[in-house]
Coordinates of all heavy atoms in Angstrom, one line a residue:
T493 N 104.2 84.7 92.9 CA 103.3 84.2 91.8 C 101.8 84.5 92.1 O 101.4 84.5 93.3 CB 103.5 82.7 91.6 OG1 103.0 82.0 92.8 CG2 104.9 82.3 91.3
L494 N 101.1 84.8 91.1 CA 99.6 84.8 91.1 C 99.2 83.7 90.2 O 99.5 83.7 89.0 CB 99.1 86.2 90.6 CG 99.5 87.4 91.5 CD1 99.1 88.7 90.7 CD2 98.8 87.4 92.8
H495 N 98.4 82.8 90.7 CA 97.9 81.6 89.9 C 99.1 80.9 89.3 O 99.0 80.5 88.1 CB 96.9 82.1 88.9 CG 95.8 82.9 89.4 ND1 94.9 82.5 90.3 CD2 95.5 84.2 89.2 CE1 94.0 83.4 90.7 NE2 94.4 84.5 90.0
D496 N 100.2 80.8 90.1 CA 101.4 80.1 89.7 C 102.2 80.8 88.6 O 103.3 80.3 88.2 CB 101.1 78.6 89.3 CG 102.2 77.7 89.5 OD1 102.9 77.9 90.6 OD2 102.5 76.8 88.7
E497 N 101.8 81.9 88.2 CA 102.6 82.7 87.2 C 103.5 83.7 87.9 O 103.0 84.5 88.7 CB 101.6 83.5 86.3 CG 101.0 82.7 85.1 CD 102.1 82.3 84.1 OE1 102.8 83.2 83.6 OE2 102.3 81.1 83.9
P498 N 104.8 83.7 87.6 CA 105.6 84.7 88.3 C 105.3 86.1 87.9 O 105.2 86.5 86.7 CB 107.0 84.4 87.8 CG 106.9 83.0 87.2 CD 105.5 82.8 86.8
V499 N 105.1 87.0 89.0 CA 104.9 88.4 88.7 C 105.9 89.2 89.5 O 105.8 90.5 89.5 CB 103.4 88.8 89.2 CG1 102.4 88.1 88.3 CG2 103.2 88.5 90.6
G500 N 106.8 88.6 90.2 CA 107.8 89.3 90.9 C 108.8 88.4 91.6 O 108.8 87.2 91.4
Q501 N 109.7 89.0 92.3 CA 110.7 88.2 93.1 C 110.9 88.9 94.4 O 110.7 90.1 94.6 CB 112.0 88.2 92.3 CG 112.9 89.4 92.4 CD 113.9 89.4 93.6 OE1 114.3 88.4 94.1 NE2 114.2 90.6 94.1
I502 N 111.3 88.0 95.4 CA 111.8 88.5 96.7 C 112.9 87.6 97.1 O 112.9 86.4 96.9 CB 110.6 88.6 97.7 CG1 111.1 89.3 99.0 CG2 110.1 87.2 98.1 CD1 109.9 89.8 99.8
S503 N 113.9 88.2 97.7 CA 115.1 87.4 98.1 C 115.7 87.9 99.4 O 115.7 89.1 99.7 CB 116.1 87.3 97.0 OG 116.4 88.6 96.5
L504 N 116.3 86.9 100.1 CA 117.3 87.2 101.2 C 118.6 87.3 100.5 O 119.1 86.4 99.9 CB 117.3 86.1 102.2 CG 115.9 85.7 102.8 CD1 116.1 84.6 103.8 CD2 115.2 86.9 103.4
R505 N 119.2 88.5 100.4 CA 120.3 88.8 99.5 C 121.7 88.3 100.1 O 122.5 87.7 99.4 CB 120.5 90.3 99.2 CG 119.3 90.8 98.4 CD 119.5 92.2 98.1 NE 120.6 92.4 97.1 CZ 121.5 93.4 97.2 NH1 121.4 94.3 98.2 NH2 122.4 93.6 96.3
H506 N 121.9 88.6 101.4 CA 123.2 88.1 102.0 C 122.8 87.7 103.5 O 122.4 88.5 104.2 CB 124.2 89.3 102.1 CG 124.4 90.0 100.8 ND1 123.8 91.2 100.5 CD2 125.2 89.7 99.8 CE1 124.2 91.6 99.3 NE2 125.0 90.7 98.8
L507 N 123.0 86.5 103.8 CA 122.8 86.0 105.1 C 124.0 86.0 105.9 O 125.0 85.4 105.6 CB 122.2 84.5 105.1 CG 121.9 83.9 106.4 CD1 120.9 84.7 107.2 CD2 121.4 82.5 106.2
N508 N 124.0 86.8 107.0 CA 125.1 86.9 107.9 C 124.8 86.0 109.1 O 124.0 86.4 110.0 CB 125.2 88.4 108.3 CG 126.2 88.7 109.5 OD1 126.5 87.8 110.2 ND2 126.7 89.9 109.6
H509 N 125.4 84.9 109.2 CA 125.1 83.9 110.2 C 125.5 84.4 111.6 O 124.8 84.2 112.6 CB 125.8 82.6 110.0 CG 125.3 81.9 108.8 ND1 124.4 80.8 108.9 CD2 125.5 82.1 107.5 CE1 124.1 80.4 107.7 NE2 124.7 81.1 106.8
A510 N 126.7 85.1 111.7 CA 127.2 85.5 113.0 C 126.2 86.4 113.7 O 126.0 86.2 114.9 CB 128.6 86.1 112.8
D511 N 125.7 87.4 113.0 CA 124.9 88.4 113.7 C 123.4 88.1 113.4 O 122.5 88.9 113.9 CB 125.3 89.8 113.2 CG 126.7 90.1 113.6 OD1 127.0 89.9 114.8 OD2 127.5 90.5 112.7
G512 N 123.1 87.1 112.6 CA 121.6 86.8 112.3 C 120.9 87.9 111.6 O 119.8 88.3 111.9
I513 N 121.6 88.4 110.5 CA 121.1 89.6 109.8 C 121.0 89.2 108.3 O 121.9 88.5 107.8 CB 122.0 90.8 109.9 CG1 122.1 91.2 111.4 CG2 121.6 91.9 109.0 CD1 123.1 92.4 111.6
T514 N 120.0 89.6 107.7 CA 119.9 89.5 106.2 C 119.3 90.8 105.6 O 118.5 91.5 106.3 CB 119.1 88.3 105.8 OG1 119.1 88.2 104.3 CG2 117.6 88.4 106.2
D515 N 119.6 91.1 104.4 CA 118.9 92.2 103.7 C 118.0 91.5 102.7 O 118.1 90.4 102.3 CB 119.9 93.1 103.0 CG 120.9 92.5 102.1 OD1 121.2 91.3 102.3 OD2 121.4 93.1 101.2
V516 N 116.9 92.3 102.2 CA 115.9 91.8 101.3 C 115.8 92.7 100.1 O 116.0 93.9 100.2 CB 114.5 91.7 102.0 CG1 113.4 91.4 101.1 CG2 114.5 90.8 103.2
S517 N 115.6 92.0 99.0 CA 115.3 92.7 97.7 C 114.0 92.2 97.1 O 113.6 91.1 97.3 CB 116.5 92.4 96.7 OG 116.1 92.4 95.4
Y518 N 113.3 93.1 96.4 CA 112.0 92.7 95.8 C 111.8 93.6 94.5 O 112.2 94.7 94.4 CB 110.8 92.9 96.8 CG 110.9 94.1 97.6 CD1 110.5 95.4 97.1 CD2 111.3 94.1 98.9 CE1 110.5 96.5 97.8 CE2 111.3 95.3 99.7 CZ 111.0 96.5 99.1 OH 111.0 97.6 99.9
W519 N 111.0 93.0 93.6 CA 110.4 93.7 92.5 C 109.1 93.0 92.1 O 109.0 91.8 92.3 CB 111.4 93.9 91.3 CG 112.1 92.8 90.7 CD1 113.5 92.6 90.9 CD2 111.6 91.7 89.9 NE1 113.8 91.4 90.2 CE2 112.8 90.9 89.6 CE3 110.4 91.3 89.4 CZ2 112.6 89.7 88.8 CZ3 110.3 90.2 88.6 CH2 111.4 89.4 88.3
V520 N 108.3 93.8 91.5 CA 107.0 93.3 91.0 C 106.8 93.9 89.6 O 107.0 95.1 89.4 CB 105.8 93.7 92.0 CG1 104.5 93.4 91.4 CG2 106.0 93.0 93.3
V521 N 106.3 93.1 88.7 CA 106.1 93.6 87.3 C 105.0 94.6 87.3 O 104.0 94.6 88.1 CB 105.8 92.4 86.3 CG1 107.0 91.5 86.3 CG2 104.5 91.7 86.7
P522 N 105.0 95.5 86.3 CA 104.0 96.6 86.3 C 102.5 96.1 86.4 O 101.7 96.7 87.1 CB 104.3 97.4 85.0 CG 105.7 97.1 84.7 CD 106.0 95.7 85.3
A523 N 102.2 95.1 85.7 CA 100.8 94.6 85.6 C 100.3 94.2 87.0 O 99.1 94.1 87.2 CB 100.7 93.5 84.6
A524 N 101.2 93.8 87.9 CA 100.7 93.3 89.2 C 100.9 94.3 90.3 O 100.7 93.9 91.5 CB 101.5 92.0 89.5
R525 N 101.3 95.5 90.0 CA 101.6 96.5 91.1 C 100.3 97.1 91.7 O 99.2 97.0 91.0 CB 102.4 97.6 90.5 CG 103.9 97.1 90.3 CD 104.8 98.2 89.8 NE 106.0 97.6 89.3 CZ 106.8 98.1 88.4 NH1 106.6 99.3 87.8 NH2 107.9 97.5 88.1
G526 N 100.4 97.6 92.9 CA 99.3 98.3 93.5 C 98.2 97.4 94.1 O 97.2 97.9 94.4
R527 N 98.6 96.1 94.3 CA 97.6 95.2 94.8 C 98.1 94.5 96.1 O 97.6 93.5 96.5 CB 97.3 94.0 93.8 CG 96.6 94.5 92.6 CD 96.1 93.3 91.8 NE 96.7 93.1 90.5 CZ 96.8 92.0 89.8 NH1 96.2 90.9 90.3 NH2 97.3 92.0 88.6
G528 N 99.2 95.1 96.6 CA 99.7 94.6 97.9 C 100.6 93.4 97.7 O 101.0 92.7 98.7
V529 N 101.1 93.1 96.5 CA 101.9 91.9 96.3 C 103.2 92.0 97.0 O 103.6 91.2 97.8 CB 102.1 91.6 94.8 CG1 103.2 90.6 94.6 CG2 100.8 91.2 94.1
A530 N 103.9 93.1 96.8 CA 105.3 93.3 97.4 C 105.2 93.3 98.9 O 106.0 92.7 99.6 CB 106.0 94.5 96.9
S531 N 104.3 94.1 99.5 CA 104.2 94.3 100.9 C 103.8 93.0 101.6 O 104.3 92.6 102.7 CB 103.4 95.5 101.3 OG 102.1 95.5 100.6
S532 N 102.8 92.3 101.0 CA 102.4 91.0 101.6 C 103.5 90.0 101.5 O 103.7 89.2 102.5 CB 101.2 90.5 100.8 OG 100.1 91.4 100.8
A533 N 104.2 90.0 100.4 CA 105.3 89.0 100.3 C 106.4 89.3 101.3 O 107.0 88.4 102.0 CB 105.9 89.1 98.9
L534 N 106.7 90.6 101.5 CA 107.8 91.0 102.5 C 107.3 90.6 103.9 O 108.1 90.1 104.7 CB 108.1 92.5 102.4 CG 109.1 93.0 103.3 CD1 110.5 92.3 103.2 CD2 109.3 94.5 103.1
T535 N 106.0 90.8 104.2 CA 105.5 90.4 105.5 C 105.6 88.9 105.7 O 106.1 88.5 106.8 CB 104.0 90.9 105.6 OG1 104.0 92.3 105.5 CG2 103.4 90.5 107.0
A536 N 105.2 88.2 104.7 CA 105.2 86.7 104.8 C 106.7 86.2 105.0 O 107.0 85.3 105.8 CB 104.5 86.1 103.6
L537 N 107.6 86.7 104.1 CA 108.9 86.2 104.2 C 109.6 86.6 105.5 O 110.4 85.8 106.1 CB 109.7 86.8 103.0 CG 111.2 86.3 102.9 CD1 111.3 84.8 102.9 CD2 111.9 86.9 101.7
S538 N 109.3 87.8 106.0 CA 109.8 88.2 107.3 C 109.4 87.2 108.4 O 110.2 86.8 109.3 CB 109.4 89.6 107.6 OG 109.7 90.5 106.6
G539 N 108.1 86.9 108.4 CA 107.6 85.9 109.4 C 108.3 84.6 109.4 O 108.7 84.1 110.4
W540 N 108.6 84.1 108.2 CA 109.3 82.9 108.0 C 110.8 83.0 108.5 O 111.3 82.2 109.2 CB 109.3 82.4 106.6 CG 110.1 81.1 106.4 CD1 109.7 79.8 106.7 CD2 111.4 81.0 106.0 NE1 110.7 78.9 106.4 CE2 111.8 79.6 106.0 CE3 112.4 82.0 105.6 CZ2 113.1 79.2 105.6 CZ3 113.7 81.5 105.2 CH2 114.0 80.2 105.2
A541 N 111.4 84.1 108.1 CA 112.8 84.3 108.4 C 113.0 84.5 109.9 O 114.0 84.0 110.5 CB 113.4 85.5 107.6
F542 N 112.1 85.2 110.6 CA 112.2 85.4 112.0 C 111.8 84.1 112.7 O 112.5 83.6 113.6 CB 111.3 86.5 112.5 CG 111.8 87.9 112.2 CD1 110.9 88.8 111.6 CD2 113.1 88.3 112.4 CE1 111.3 90.1 111.3 CE2 113.5 89.6 112.1 CZ 112.6 90.5 111.5
G543 N 110.7 83.5 112.3 CA 110.1 82.4 113.1 C 110.7 81.1 112.8 O 110.8 80.2 113.7
V544 N 111.2 80.8 111.6 CA 111.8 79.5 111.3 C 113.3 79.5 111.1 O 114.0 78.8 111.8 CB 111.1 78.9 110.0 CG1 111.7 77.6 109.6 CG2 109.6 78.9 110.2
L545 N 113.8 80.5 110.3 CA 115.2 80.6 110.1 C 115.9 81.1 111.4 O 117.0 80.8 111.7 CB 115.5 81.4 108.9 CG 117.0 81.6 108.5 CD1 117.6 80.2 108.3 CD2 117.1 82.4 107.2
G546 N 115.2 82.0 112.1 CA 115.7 82.5 113.3 C 116.6 83.7 113.2 O 117.5 83.9 114.1
V547 N 116.5 84.5 112.1 CA 117.3 85.7 112.0 C 116.8 86.7 113.1 O 115.7 86.6 113.6 CB 117.3 86.4 110.6 CG1 117.8 85.4 109.6 CG2 115.9 86.9 110.3
H548 N 117.7 87.6 113.4 CA 117.5 88.6 114.5 C 117.0 90.0 113.9 O 116.2 90.7 114.4 CB 118.8 88.8 115.2 CG 118.8 90.0 116.1 ND1 118.0 90.2 117.2 CD2 119.6 91.2 116.0 CE1 118.2 91.3 117.8 NE2 119.2 92.0 117.1
R549 N 117.6 90.3 112.7 CA 117.3 91.6 112.1 C 117.3 91.4 110.5 O 118.1 90.7 110.0 CB 118.5 92.5 112.4 CG 118.5 93.8 111.7 CD 119.8 94.6 112.1 NE 120.2 95.6 111.1 CZ 119.8 96.8 111.1 NH1 118.9 97.3 112.1 NH2 120.1 97.7 110.2

Side-chain angles (χ1 to χ4, degrees):
T493 64
L494 294 174
H495 310 295
D496 208 35
E497 278 294 302
V499 296
Q501 78 88 30
I502 192 161
S503 51
L504 307 179
R505 295 182 69 221
H506 308 100
L507 179 59
N508 170 340
H509 292 259
D511 298 311
I513 297 175
T514 184
D515 54 335
V516 173
S517 149
Y518 42 76
W519 48 253
V520 171
V521 298
R525 288 181 190 155
R527 295 194 242 162
V529 169
S531 49
S532 302
L534 181 57
T535 300
L537 182 57
S538 305
W540 177 83
F542 288 131
V544 179
L545 183 55
V547 300
H548 165 66
R549 167 185 160 89

